[in-house]
Amino acid sequence: MKKNIAIIMGGHSSEREISLKSGNVVYNYLDKEKFSAYRIHIRKEKWVYVDAQEQEHAVDKNDFSVVLGKETIRFHCVFNAIHGSPGEDGLMQAYFELLGIPQTSCDFYQASLTFNKRDLLSVLKPYGIPAAASYYLNAGDPVDEEAIISKVGLPCFVKANKAGSSFGISKVYEKEALSAAIENAYKEDDEIIIEAFLDGIEVSVGVIKYQGETKVLPITEIVSENDFFDYEAKYQGKSKEVTPARITKEEANAVGDMAKKVYDILKMKGYTRSEFIFVDSVPYMLEMNTTPGLTTESILPQQAKVAGISLSELFESAITEALS
């Protein structure tokens, strides 16, 4: 019997449109001989199943079911394609755990931790995972520009602590631009992380559960046409992504081992994509994404392709792992 798979997409954050693209790619590539796939749009105001005719049908939040005529659809597994809240910050994971419905991403604690850049890097520090010098601010805190620059130097990056797709991030070269960058970050989140600029090669490392094993995918080098890997670079063609990365075998082994170590330390499940910058051949960790982009142009699917894994195989494996 075919398994009913709910593909959740959309969400509440600035990443909503990207998530819808990812979710539709999963829907299109999932093997219809093995799975009955349902596109579930998650919005603040409503949760709906969107059918092939783009008609909406309400989702019952009490048990995550959908009534179609006289039939009630219940799901064997949820494929999580929501970037940002509530799919990447632990909320949906906790909900499905309470309902006892398997889902393809990590558990709720890991999602909440990794979505918070400050907390993630703090937890990993005792394990020897290098990160840039940083300074933290919360909304309402006094801004001591001298203290910030003394801690992280210039240039530096001002980032929203809990946001993805490079929303709310600015590269600051001079003290006079710091205030505007902080205000920009606060548009996305009430917590900020300000980090020292690391001058080196940026790489992205995918780690997944595949056929029962933890697998490090071929590493991608990020070459941005812009000043850094911002939204335009990620989604509007202003970057070149080279897979496999043009780094030495020793560097590839070092960053691959580090990404896998972090995956294991955190007891991760599903897909992760972690970002690093090499400084003097040492990889410094920036962040980890637990529901990375899944469009055909996204980094993780690119890496899977180089590894000889098709999109259908990639998506089926995530469901198989969740059901196991």
Side-chain angles (χ1 to χ4, degrees):
M1 188 179 87
K2 289 201 289 186
K3 302 287 188 184
N4 290 340
I5 309 300
I7 305 167
I8 58 172
M9 60 186 86
H12 307 162
S13 75
S14 300
E15 298 182 85
R16 174 177 172 77
E17 293 305 317
I18 303 158
S19 170
L20 292 174
K21 291 179 181 179
S22 289
N24 279 302
V25 169
V26 176
Y27 176 77
N28 290 329
Y29 280 88
L30 207 55
D31 189 340
K32 302 302 190 294
E33 297 295 316
K34 299 178 181 178
F35 306 108
S36 296
Y38 296 80
R39 296 178 297 168
I40 307 293
H41 287 209
I42 303 295
R43 305 185 183 117
K44 278 188 175 178
E45 67 276 11
K46 60 181 177 179
W47 296 6
V48 293
Y49 157 55
V50 180
D51 66 23
Q53 287 73 45
E54 303 300 318
Q55 297 298 310
E56 295 184 351
H57 308 267
V59 174
D60 186 342
K61 293 183 183 180
N62 293 298
D63 60 2
F64 199 68
S65 64
V66 178
V67 176
L68 299 177
K70 295 182 178 179
E71 184 183 10
T72 298
I73 306 296
R74 302 187 189 279
F75 299 102
H76 298 96
C77 183
V78 174
F79 195 108
N80 185 1
I82 297 178
H83 316 313
S85 187
E88 200 166 6
D89 57 3
L91 296 177
M92 297 303 294
Q93 289 86 344
Y95 167 76
F96 290 121
E97 182 162 329
L98 287 171
L99 292 179
I101 302 175
Q103 54 88 34
T104 57
S105 61
C106 61
D107 292 336
F108 71 91
Y109 168 74
Q110 285 81 356
S112 180
L113 175 67
T114 52
F115 195 63
N116 188 310
K117 298 179 183 73
R118 302 187 326 196
D119 288 358
L120 171 67
L121 297 174
S122 297
V123 165
L124 293 175
K125 188 175 181 179
Y127 292 93
I129 306 300
S134 58
Y135 189 102
Y136 301 164
L137 280 176
N138 293 340
D141 286 352
V143 177
D144 186 337
E145 294 181 349
E146 292 296 339
I148 293 169
I149 293 169
S150 175
K151 182 75 179 289
V152 303
L154 289 172
C156 65
F157 282 101
V158 179
K159 302 177 181 180
N161 187 41
K162 302 187 295 292
S165 297
S166 296
F167 288 108
I169 182 171
S170 305
K171 188 174 181 181
V172 175
Y173 285 91
E174 52 195 23
K175 178 181 174 181
E176 291 72 21
L178 197 54
S179 178
I182 289 170
E183 288 305 311
N184 179 55
Y186 277 141
K187 292 176 184 176
E188 292 293 326
D189 189 25
D190 60 0
E191 298 176 353
I192 289 176
I193 179 171
I194 304 174
E195 292 181 323
F197 169 61
L198 298 175
D199 190 7
I201 297 171
E202 182 171 354
V203 296
S204 186
V205 187
V207 182
I208 64 174
K209 287 286 187 194
Y210 186 73
Q211 298 180 348
E213 301 290 333
T214 302
K215 184 178 181 66
V216 179
L217 295 173
I219 296 160
T220 299
E221 178 184 351
I222 308 298
V223 184
S224 176
E225 293 178 18
N226 292 356
D227 198 19
F228 61 96
F229 197 43
D230 60 5
Y231 184 89
E232 276 193 339
K234 283 184 177 178
Y235 299 109
Q236 296 176 0
K238 298 287 188 177
S239 69
K240 182 167 69 171
E241 295 150 5
V242 182
T243 310
R246 298 168 298 185
I247 54 179
T248 67
K249 184 178 179 180
E250 290 75 20
E251 288 172 333
N253 288 339
V255 76
D257 289 348
M258 188 176 291
K260 184 177 184 296
K261 180 180 178 181
V262 170
Y263 191 100
D264 291 339
I265 287 169
L266 299 179
K267 300 182 175 67
M268 294 300 301
K269 299 176 183 176
Y271 308 148
T272 68
R273 199 195 72 228
S274 299
E275 319 303 330
F276 297 85
I277 289 182
F278 279 100
V279 178
D280 297 328
S281 295
V282 175
Y284 284 70
M285 189 170 188
L286 301 178
E287 63 180 354
M288 174 186 274
N289 302 281
T290 57
T291 54
L294 296 174
T295 70
T296 52
E297 298 82 21
S298 296
I299 292 172
L300 192 86
Q302 288 182 39
Q303 295 174 340
K305 183 178 181 181
V306 173
I309 302 170
S310 70
L311 286 179
S312 294
E313 291 169 331
L314 182 69
F315 301 151
E316 181 177 338
S317 175
I319 293 168
T320 301
E321 291 293 332
L323 290 172
S324 68

